[in-house]
Amino acid sequence: MPGWDAFLTEQDKAHIAYLGPRQKKGFGENPCMLVVDDYYSVLGLEREPILESIKTWPGSTGLEGWAAIDETVGLLAAARENNIPVVYCHGMESMRAPWAQRRKTSPERSDRLNHLPEEIRRKANEIVAEIAPQPGDLVIQKAAASVFHGTPFLFWLNYQGIDTVITAGETTSGCVRASVVDGATYRFHMGVVEECVFDRTQASHWMNLFDMNQKYADVIKKKEAIEYFDYISAK
């Protein structure tokens, strides 16, 4: 049973049952692997439950984020073993995302953040060591939610002849979704690896996976992604 079933209403379930199961869109013949925003400010430096981690890093996703990182390790290993290009994106260090500025920060929280040692604060936009980029990987800085907006990503995809983008990272409802919707708009085959994406809010995570799977992408298991990479390599 998909994880999003717990968040569907009875009317939703009846509607889906009437229409029948959704058929997968399928993937192309020349994929890349995209890792979205897996940096320390959304995970923290310690593996802690979210309600502990946010005391130091207000944007943290807690243990569910770290679980996705652990799954991503094997996914990236499979991509590299099969010569699938790997692309990372993360926010620009000099520009705070406007969508992250809606909450008023309490003086207590602000004081705690500002008094983090400088070397710790500098790690905020650093991709976590467990899945750090390797020589030959493409790393893109972005100033918007989507990796496509205002970056060379689209031009790189076209130059490389890429037709499929398999996606991991965070947040499911934010930068992952924005990138997936833009990718689908540009007519790429988009895949989202269920175990390797994560969010701060469980309901938002699952409902955005459901919605992407209904409209813009194939939400697949890590095992399916690896089998796809193996297939591409063996051709």
Side-chain angles (χ1 to χ4, degrees):
M1 178 182 298
W4 53 67
D5 272 15
F7 299 94
L8 296 174
T9 67
E10 291 307 311
Q11 177 177 294
D12 294 334
K13 293 175 183 177
H15 179 219
I16 293 165
Y18 179 81
L19 293 177
R22 174 196 170 278
Q23 300 299 310
K24 287 186 180 296
K25 298 176 185 296
F27 301 136
E29 300 297 314
N30 194 18
C32 75
M33 179 73 232
L34 173 65
V35 182
V36 179
D37 291 354
D38 280 345
Y39 41 74
Y40 283 107
S41 67
V42 298
L43 290 151
L45 299 183
E46 305 293 334
R47 296 190 177 220
E48 300 174 310
I50 190 169
L51 295 180
E52 288 299 315
S53 188
I54 58 175
K55 294 175 183 177
T56 303
W57 298 100
S60 174
T61 55
L63 293 176
E64 288 171 332
W66 281 112
I69 293 296
D70 290 340
E71 295 286 356
T72 305
V73 171
L75 180 64
L76 290 176
R80 292 187 174 108
E81 287 168 5
N82 288 295
N83 296 312
I84 306 299
V86 177
V87 181
Y88 293 81
C89 66
H90 65 91
M92 296 179 67
E93 296 180 10
S94 60
M95 184 178 295
R96 187 181 178 197
W99 55 88
Q101 299 177 14
R102 293 180 301 159
R103 281 197 175 87
K104 290 184 177 179
T105 303
S106 68
E108 179 185 357
R109 185 184 300 169
S110 178
D111 182 70
R112 183 182 294 113
L113 198 62
N114 290 336
H115 285 77
L116 283 172
E118 176 62 24
E119 66 271 18
I120 299 299
R121 281 188 279 131
R122 281 201 302 265
K123 294 181 75 69
N125 279 335
E126 181 181 321
I127 297 166
V128 297
E130 286 83 350
I131 58 165
Q134 302 298 308
D137 295 342
L138 176 63
V139 181
I140 297 173
Q141 288 194 352
K142 60 187 178 70
S146 170
V147 66
F148 286 90
H149 188 83
T151 77
F153 188 48
L154 178 60
F155 301 97
W156 180 87
L157 290 171
N158 289 333
Y159 180 76
Q160 298 290 337
I162 300 293
D163 58 14
T164 301
V165 181
I166 304 298
T167 311
E170 67 82 35
T171 58
T172 315
S173 61
C175 295
V176 168
R177 181 190 173 100
S179 298
V180 165
V181 172
D182 274 1
T185 300
Y186 285 120
R187 300 300 189 264
F188 292 98
H189 300 279
M190 301 302 295
V192 180
V193 184
E194 180 180 315
E195 299 97 323
C196 300
V197 293
F198 54 104
D199 210 306
R200 299 174 184 89
T201 308
Q202 292 174 331
S204 186
H205 167 74
W206 283 113
M207 289 314 300
N208 276 278
L209 277 181
F210 167 79
D211 202 51
M212 285 188 284
N213 190 64
Q214 291 291 107
K215 301 170 184 173
Y216 308 111
D218 286 340
V219 174
I220 58 174
K221 295 289 189 180
K222 174 183 168 183
K223 180 176 181 291
E224 294 177 86
I226 293 173
E227 289 173 349
Y228 170 57
F229 292 159
D230 289 342
Y231 160 76
I232 293 297
S233 178
K235 287 194 321 170

